[in-house]
Amino acid sequence: MYGNIVILSGAGISAESGIPTFRDCNGLWNNHKVEDVATIQAYYQNPKVIHNFYNQLRKDIEDKKPNPAHFAITRLQHEYKNGTVSVITQNVDLLHEKAGNVNVVHIHGQIDQSVCMNCGKIITSLEDTSVETVCPFCHIQGKMKPNIVFFGENLLSLNQVQKLLSECRLFIAIGTSGAVYPANTFASNAKYYGADTIEFNLHETINHYDFDNHIVGPAGQMFPPYVEKILKQI
Ligand SMILES: [Zn+2]
């Protein structure tokens, strides 16, 4: 029997829906070098490349569908009555939302948003952006940036994450490699506050000592029965 539950999801859960992760593709992400499309320096040096890349990525992942792991989270959120079930995701796609998940915190940003580098306002839209896009808030042109956290930038919503971790009693990691700071500290953080920790991954992860339990295998197969088990315990 647990109180609040926090689920941290990483690229692995999206990979099972056919969205490639750059770590799996020899350092390439959608055939681009990470340093060309995912660093803040690249944005300042060549914003056109960045806009084109994320416009294309948005199209490439538009038709991708959530998998049984995403839907199991929806079920848990509907049927679990002992506390809240929140999702912290490192993924910029919207598969959690497509599956009907609520309380989703996108710490690496999301593909349907841009941020104005002049006024800081966030615009949610599936439309393409370019260096010609005008901010609807401050009306300045050429300052829109995909609201994706690049290398060299801080993660989003860390205060909210900290609060969720400190109040959770069960921390579940799904499809996250444990290689990227600071998300790889969330499990030990939750544990510090008294949570049980469990991870679902295709392989054993780097920070596996932070987890009380490890389930190895595809999340789409392994996670739904686990949800069933939690719900039966209530
Ligand atoms: Zn603006």
Side-chain angles (χ1 to χ4, degrees), residues 3-233:
N4 294 346
I5 297 175
V6 168
I7 297 167
L8 171 67
S9 74
I13 193 171
S14 296
E16 289 181 34
S17 289
I19 297 177
T21 72
F22 65 81
R23 276 169 209 288
D24 290 340
C25 307
N26 305 320
L28 297 180
W29 193 19
N30 247 15
N31 297 319
H32 285 70
K33 278 189 196 161
V34 170
E35 55 267 35
D36 292 340
V37 294
T39 66
I40 193 66
Q41 292 84 353
Y43 169 75
Y44 286 121
Q45 279 162 13
N46 206 341
K48 273 187 185 169
V49 170
I50 297 283
H51 282 292
N52 290 342
F53 177 78
Y54 289 96
N55 290 338
Q56 188 57 47
L57 184 67
R58 197 179 303 114
K59 288 189 186 79
D60 289 348
I61 66 181
E62 203 174 7
D63 62 343
K64 301 292 189 232
K65 305 265 191 311
N67 63 63
H70 295 102
F71 288 113
I73 296 173
T74 310
R75 184 179 172 210
L76 188 62
Q77 289 187 321
H78 278 154
E79 297 180 28
Y80 185 73
K81 304 292 179 209
N82 290 353
T84 58
V85 179
S86 308
V87 179
I88 300 169
T89 186
Q90 297 169 281
N91 302 330
V92 301
D93 60 61
L94 305 170
L95 294 181
H96 286 292
E97 286 84 354
K98 280 185 184 172
N101 292 184
V102 292
N103 306 331
V104 183
V105 183
H106 282 267
I107 56 174
H108 287 176
Q110 52 193 84
I111 194 71
D112 64 337
Q113 290 183 343
S114 302
V115 58
C116 173
M117 298 299 268
N118 182 57
C119 71
K121 290 270 188 359
I122 289 171
I123 292 93
T124 301
S125 166
L126 290 170
E127 299 290 311
D128 282 1
T129 57
S130 73
V131 290
E132 269 117 52
T133 306
V134 175
C135 172
F137 295 99
C138 68
H139 309 294
I140 301 280
Q141 187 182 42
K143 293 288 183 183
M144 301 307 284
K145 172 188 161 292
N147 193 25
I148 305 290
V149 174
F150 292 156
F151 292 98
E153 292 188 298
N154 292 323
L155 296 197
L156 306 176
S157 310
L158 279 186
N159 287 343
Q160 196 184 349
V161 165
Q162 197 54 41
K163 188 168 187 299
L164 289 172
L165 294 177
S166 69
E167 293 171 352
C168 87
R169 289 297 162 264
L170 175 62
F171 177 88
I172 304 168
I174 305 177
T176 174
S177 64
V180 183
Y181 179 85
N184 59 358
T185 64
F186 293 173
S188 62
N189 224 313
K191 215 171 156 67
Y192 170 81
Y193 288 108
D196 286 356
T197 55
I198 181 166
E199 65 171 345
F200 292 78
N201 215 308
L202 269 185
H203 317 284
E204 196 169 83
T205 57
I206 296 167
N207 61 342
H208 63 277
Y209 297 113
D210 295 331
F211 292 95
D212 304 313
N213 291 295
H214 317 271
I215 311 287
V216 174
Q221 282 174 33
M222 313 308 277
F223 187 62
Y226 175 74
V227 165
E228 181 80 38
K229 210 172 91 188
I230 292 185
L231 292 172
K232 272 198 182 133
Q233 285 171 359

